[in-house]
DNA sequence: TAGATTGTTAATCGATTAACAATC
DNA sequence: TAGATTGTTAATCGATTAACAATC
């Protein structure tokens, strides 16, 4: 479906298009032009047309884009329709929040297992799933072949866990840890979520806005 | 301290520099050259020198950078040394996780209050702080003048809350909601964290890696 | 001094925006 | 047909990389 070299910048905008089109759909909007969508998303019409044309001509000249169809196309590009199985490593505060807060099924994911190395948590149910000991990870993967793992563990334990997972065929990581997976396993797909980096960025931005530079 | 127009790209790399320099410091490394740091962070030496020189000449020709000093400088640029007061809106799963998981004091933040509109939660203690009703927000802000708010509420309630907060003088938002604060209040500082966008991006990346294009 | 490495300018690369012919 | 809006090429802008003189 998609063409050769889609830039990272374009890919990062796709989920946003998907969200906005979902909203438009909810509002009962049937068609939209790149200009109207641009105004709503605060982008340029040019950029929207460029982005979409990386994947195909979804519009109709003189008319615009059909909201439902375009949303469907972007959903397909993001593979939200396929089902991928998922495991979570780390049942601490963050792991719990992710397991309970994210609507995985909505995006085609199926959370199959939760692991923690603290034996005290074994058997506890989180989001309807009993926590297993991390020691049983290899065995579980052999049986269930999960596609993807969410890493909600401290940096220290991460290297070992990722090694096991990669050996078991896990190729994609939603990484909340500070371990740099991509450095050690460049063939994997990694999406890093560094919450504290984001907080530090905000710290900078706030100061910059409130006390603009004086030199 | 900093110069005129620092690009967003540079700012977003600062927390990462800060983290890596912290690690080096822990390892007892005293000095580092842009080349060595580049290898470790998987950047180019050129980019590191360009980035740092946006803020000043922190290095010494022929020697490199003093790790402790450079880290201190970047910490100062990010204003991690100042104390800013903070409130959290929304004590659901995500809000809880953020309150309990993030080490605010480490980055100079002081979590002063937690609010939720569900009366059932009022008085419950999260991270040592009793949850207040969102109705008391205006009053609390008048008394405590928080600098910054964390938004962990659904999109629907967000516009009202933000309106109140902006009126009360809150200028910075760590926004986990899908409400577009910046669109309505362009003068505020906003750092959006859209976890589901990140998950969708991973969904795309995984497919791209595993089934590279065939046309 | 000689070697190393910075700070900074110039060259390249990529991403965004503008323009417009194609066409519904 | 006339008006609107796309798809796509060309122009601009910004960010990254390369090069090198300055200097510790």
């Amino acid at each position: 479906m998609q063409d050769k070299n889609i830039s990272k910048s374009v890919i990062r905008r796709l989920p946003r298009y998907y969200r906005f089109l979902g909203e438009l759909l909810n509002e009962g909007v049937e068609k939209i032009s790149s200009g109207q969508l641009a105004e709503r998303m605060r982008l340029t019409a040019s950029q929207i047309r460029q982005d979409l044309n990386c994947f195909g001509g979804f519009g109709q000249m003189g008319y615009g884009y059909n909201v439902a169809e375009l949303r469907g196309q972007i959903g397909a590009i993001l593979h939200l329709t396929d089902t991928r199985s998922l495991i979570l490593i780390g049942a601490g505060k963050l792991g719990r929040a992710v397991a309970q807060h994210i609507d995985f099924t909505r995006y085609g994911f199926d959370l199959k297992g939760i692991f923690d190395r603290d034996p005290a948590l074994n058997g506890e149910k989180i989001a309807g799933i009993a926590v297993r000991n991390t020691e049983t990870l290899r065995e579980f993967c052999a049986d269930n072949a999960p596609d993807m793992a969410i890493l909600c563990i401290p940096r220290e334990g991460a290297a070992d866990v990722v090694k096991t997972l990669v050996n078991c065929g896990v190729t994609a990581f939603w990484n909340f840890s500070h371990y740099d997976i991509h450095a050690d396993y460049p063939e994997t797909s990694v999406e890093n979520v560094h919450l504290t980096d984001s907080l530090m960025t905000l710290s900078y931005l706030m100061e910059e806005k409130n006390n603009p530079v004086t030199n």
Side-chain angles (χ1 to χ4, degrees), chain A residues 125-168:
Chain A
K125 285 212 167 183
I126 297 173
I129 296 167
V131 178
R132 291 178 170 82
N133 196 290
T134 307
E135 286 172 6
T136 68
L137 191 52
R138 191 183 300 269
E139 188 190 345
F140 182 93
C141 290
D143 293 347
N144 296 275
D147 302 303
M148 214 164 117
I150 312 170
L151 245 56
C152 290
I153 54 180
R155 172 194 205 77
E156 297 75 42
D160 273 356
V161 168
V162 171
K163 192 177 187 182
T164 302
L165 291 171
V166 169
N167 283 337
C168 293

Side-chain angles (χ1 to χ4, degrees), chain A residues 3 15 19 50 82 92 100 148 178 180 190 194 197 201 212:
Chain A
D3 284 303
R19 267 198 290 128
Q50 284 273 23
D82 309 6
Q100 295 171 335
M148 214 164 117
H178 279 173
D180 188 348
V190 180
H194 292 331
D197 283 15
T201 302

Side-chain angles (χ1 to χ4, degrees), chain A residues 1-213:
Chain A
M1 168 177 289
Q2 63 261 45
D3 284 303
K4 45 259 142 186
N5 295 344
I6 313 295
S7 81
K8 203 67 183 284
S9 322
V10 175
I11 296 165
R12 296 214 160 278
R13 279 191 293 271
L14 291 178
R16 196 146 172 275
Y17 286 126
Y18 188 78
R19 267 198 290 128
F20 274 83
L21 289 165
E23 284 169 26
L24 286 164
L25 202 65
N26 284 341
E27 292 169 19
V29 178
E30 269 181 35
K31 69 150 191 166
I32 195 158
S33 69
S34 58
Q36 292 169 311
L37 188 57
E39 195 183 351
R40 189 152 173 151
M41 296 184 66
R42 301 195 300 143
L43 300 172
T44 63
S46 228
Q47 181 166 59
I48 291 177
R49 294 203 300 277
Q50 284 273 23
D51 284 355
L52 298 179
N53 275 84
C54 292
F55 301 97
F58 302 135
Q60 195 179 337
M61 289 175 175
Y63 173 87
Y65 299 86
N66 178 290
V67 172
E69 196 214 307
L70 182 57
R71 180 164 176 276
Q73 295 279 8
I74 294 177
I77 291 163
L78 292 168
H79 292 273
L80 305 183
T81 40
D82 309 6
T83 298
R84 260 84 47 95
S85 61
L86 199 63
I87 57 175
L88 165 67
I89 319 293
K93 292 164 209 156
L94 186 59
R96 253 158 233 269
V98 169
Q100 295 171 335
H101 184 265
I102 304 286
D103 188 355
F104 292 108
T105 53
R106 180 169 175 185
Y107 304 105
F109 294 103
D110 182 11
L111 185 59
K112 282 273 185 58
I114 301 179
F115 297 83
D116 199 288
R117 66 176 177 186
D118 180 359
L121 299 179
N122 293 175
E124 187 186 333
K125 285 212 167 183
I126 297 173
I129 296 167
V131 178
R132 291 178 170 82
N133 196 290
T134 307
E135 286 172 6
T136 68
L137 191 52
R138 191 183 300 269
E139 188 190 345
F140 182 93
C141 290
D143 293 347
N144 296 275
D147 302 303
M148 214 164 117
I150 312 170
L151 245 56
C152 290
I153 54 180
R155 172 194 205 77
E156 297 75 42
D160 273 356
V161 168
V162 171
K163 192 177 187 182
T164 302
L165 291 171
V166 169
N167 283 337
C168 293
V170 173
T171 61
F173 293 88
W174 203 20
N175 183 29
F176 290 76
S177 88
H178 279 173
Y179 170 62
D180 188 348
I181 300 174
H182 219 99
D184 290 345
Y185 305 96
E187 74 286 2
T188 58
S189 304
V190 180
E191 186 59 16
N192 293 308
V193 182
H194 292 331
L195 292 177
T196 52
D197 283 15
S198 167
L199 184 60
M200 286 190 258
T201 302
L202 182 57
S203 180
Y204 176 92
L205 293 175
M206 179 179 151
E207 198 59 30
E208 184 195 46
K209 272 272 171 65
N210 292 350
N211 299 317
V213 210

